[in-house]
Amino acid sequence: MTGVVVAIPQPRAGELAAELALEGIDVVAILSPTAVIEVPPGAEAIIVPATRAVLSAELISACDRAGVRILALGGADSRLLGRLGLSEALRPEAAGWEIAAALASETDTVPRPQSVLPHRVIAVWGPHGAPGRSTLAIQLAVELSRRERRTALVDTDTVAPALALLLGLSDDAPGVAAACRRAERGALDSAELTRLATTVATGGGDIEVLPGINRPSRWPELSSTRLRATLGACREWSEETVVDVAAAFDADEEVTYDLAGPRRHAATTASLNEADLIIAVASADPLGISRFVREHAELRRLTAPTPVVVVVNQVRPGPLGIDARGQVRRTLERFAGITDVVFLPFDQRAADAALLHARPMTDVAPRSPFLAAVRRLASTLFPADAASATADSSRGSSPVVRRLRSALGARGV
């Protein structure tokens, strides 16, 4: 039996309640539309007048959180329903059987988009010189989580791990080193990863973080075999696993080092080889671009045919003159054959705020142009037919916002 709240003026409210009872519908409560409407427990739908005074943002938000359907009876402001993404209003004098039929029809709520993508491991790499790998990895994880994908953030940097410091986490947490030890024994599964990870609540949703080693001297704990097994378990555990890696490769060290022994930068090579997608980050200055061009060829040799998305970070006119993007494009095309480049603007104020509060930039500077660019980057990582949870909105994944934007989009606004 459907539980309904009737919130329309008397005496029609009492009459409608009686008619609905004859149709087998349980009237949970009869409320006045002029008062503050609170949805009682057990309600599955609420009947209200289609007026601006009643259909407030607070009411719609409360109904969305409780999973309560809103059924409006037409009025002078019935066009408001279209802007809010609600179904067309019924007649003001609709009988009980008409409302019962509407309640039995298809719901007007927006279903959660079904995942059409496999679970992925995304490695964020860049050459020496602090191009912003860790900052980009954090913000990319937040944006993937905003799209209702369960997201994990893993720090496999064996030279200068930074995720714990940037997120205000304890560097004594077990993190990825403990996960690698369990993976070597075959004892790492989704439940164990959940226990080892630290959940960080962000403006885009919760992300699971496996912090890195707290001292660079612990690099032997992240061996290639251990890390491959760990990332394989992460792929099963999380829909999106974003891995922050170091800059250096191990390729040339095979000439002089014992292949059976541990290698200093094996964690970077293992992470890149295990990744389904690589985000290659360059700093938008002459030194950063030069380093990127030299290392990019080696990256492709080690990881081909894994897709690589080239991102130029910290774009600003200072070190490259007025046409910074044009100069970067021409340089990368001429010396590396790269024609598809994503640019991220430099936002010093937002970066400083994130460092000061040890929080993702999303939480301290939600209107940063850097975040808008990362959001566009995240949207390119999904197929064109994959549903976006936020329609690329900077206002988050609120159901009200999604329905409002969907209605406006349908009207061509």
Side-chain angles (χ1 to χ4, degrees):
M1 180 179 292
T2 303
V4 173
V5 175
V6 178
I8 61 176
Q10 293 286 7
R12 180 53 187 160
E15 298 171 357
L16 183 57
E19 295 174 9
L20 291 175
L22 295 176
E23 299 294 333
I25 296 176
D26 180 27
V27 178
V28 178
I30 299 176
L31 305 176
S32 171
T34 59
V36 177
I37 299 177
E38 296 185 0
V39 181
E44 300 177 36
I46 184 170
I47 303 171
V48 296
T51 61
R52 297 178 185 272
V54 176
L55 292 173
S56 62
E58 292 77 11
L59 174 63
I60 296 177
S61 178
C63 291
D64 284 336
R65 289 194 301 269
V68 174
R69 181 182 177 186
I70 298 176
L71 191 62
L73 302 184
D77 291 332
S78 58
R79 290 182 300 174
L80 177 66
L81 301 178
R83 295 196 295 272
L84 295 176
L86 302 178
S87 298
E88 185 178 353
L90 297 176
R91 299 181 299 113
E93 64 278 6
W97 67 268
E98 295 179 81
I99 293 178
L103 291 173
S105 64
E106 183 180 0
T107 179
D108 66 0
T109 57
V110 176
R112 177 173 176 169
Q114 298 297 317
S115 175
V116 297
L117 291 176
H119 293 199
R120 300 183 295 183
V121 173
I122 302 175
V124 181
W125 170 88
H128 292 285
R133 295 185 301 267
S134 299
T135 299
L136 177 57
I138 292 172
Q139 302 310 323
L140 183 60
V142 172
E143 293 305 322
L144 294 174
S145 177
R146 190 189 300 278
R147 290 174 172 267
E148 300 187 6
R149 301 275 290 176
R150 178 170 183 176
T151 304
L153 185 58
V154 183
D155 192 343
T156 65
D157 191 334
T158 55
V159 178
L163 292 185
L165 296 175
L166 292 175
L167 294 173
L169 305 179
S170 171
D171 60 0
D172 292 328
V176 69
C180 284
R181 289 193 295 271
R182 285 161 176 76
E184 187 178 35
R185 299 197 302 267
L188 188 64
D189 54 14
S190 297
E192 188 68 9
L193 282 168
T194 301
R195 187 183 71 82
L196 295 175
T198 301
T199 303
V200 176
T202 73
D206 293 347
I207 56 177
E208 304 291 339
V209 181
L210 285 175
I213 53 179
N214 55 7
R215 294 187 304 277
S217 60
R218 294 177 58 190
W219 64 264
E221 298 181 36
L222 305 187
S223 68
S224 178
T225 303
R226 286 179 170 186
L227 197 53
R228 284 178 177 271
T230 299
L231 294 179
C234 287
R235 183 182 279 107
E236 299 296 326
W237 169 53
S238 180
E239 293 177 296
E240 305 283 356
T241 302
V242 180
V243 186
D244 181 21
V245 305
F249 301 116
D250 245 349
D252 295 336
E253 295 186 8
E254 293 183 359
V255 178
T256 56
Y257 282 78
D258 182 4
L259 297 182
R263 292 179 293 160
R264 180 68 175 88
H265 305 298
T268 300
T269 306
S271 299
L272 293 173
N273 288 331
E274 192 68 21
D276 303 296
L277 174 68
I278 298 172
I279 308 294
V281 188
S283 177
D285 57 74
L287 182 58
I289 297 299
S290 176
R291 286 173 171 171
F292 181 84
V293 169
R294 294 177 181 179
E295 296 291 334
H296 179 263
E298 186 67 15
L299 173 71
R300 296 308 298 139
R301 187 184 71 82
L302 290 175
T303 62
T306 304
V308 175
V309 177
V310 176
V311 175
V312 177
N313 192 22
Q314 302 172 358
V315 177
R316 58 202 187 279
L320 292 174
I322 298 177
D323 187 18
R325 296 191 179 197
Q327 292 195 54
V328 170
R329 283 188 187 276
R330 290 188 292 271
T331 301
L332 293 180
E333 183 175 4
R334 178 180 178 183
F335 295 102
I338 299 171
T339 57
D340 191 5
V341 184
V342 178
F343 292 96
L344 303 180
F346 185 55
D347 189 345
Q348 184 67 60
R349 180 176 298 180
D352 290 346
L355 288 173
L356 174 64
H357 298 282
R359 296 293 302 165
M361 206 177 295
T362 309
D363 295 351
V364 296
R367 297 185 180 276
S368 168
F370 172 81
L371 294 182
V374 174
R375 189 165 296 120
R376 290 191 295 270
L377 169 63
S379 68
T380 65
L381 305 183
F382 292 86
D385 57 347
S388 169
T390 62
D392 298 328
S393 168
S394 63
R395 297 181 62 185
S397 57
S398 164
V400 178
V401 174
R402 293 202 304 270
R403 293 165 70 179
L404 177 58
R405 291 180 66 88
S406 177
L408 293 176
R411 291 171 173 262
V413 177

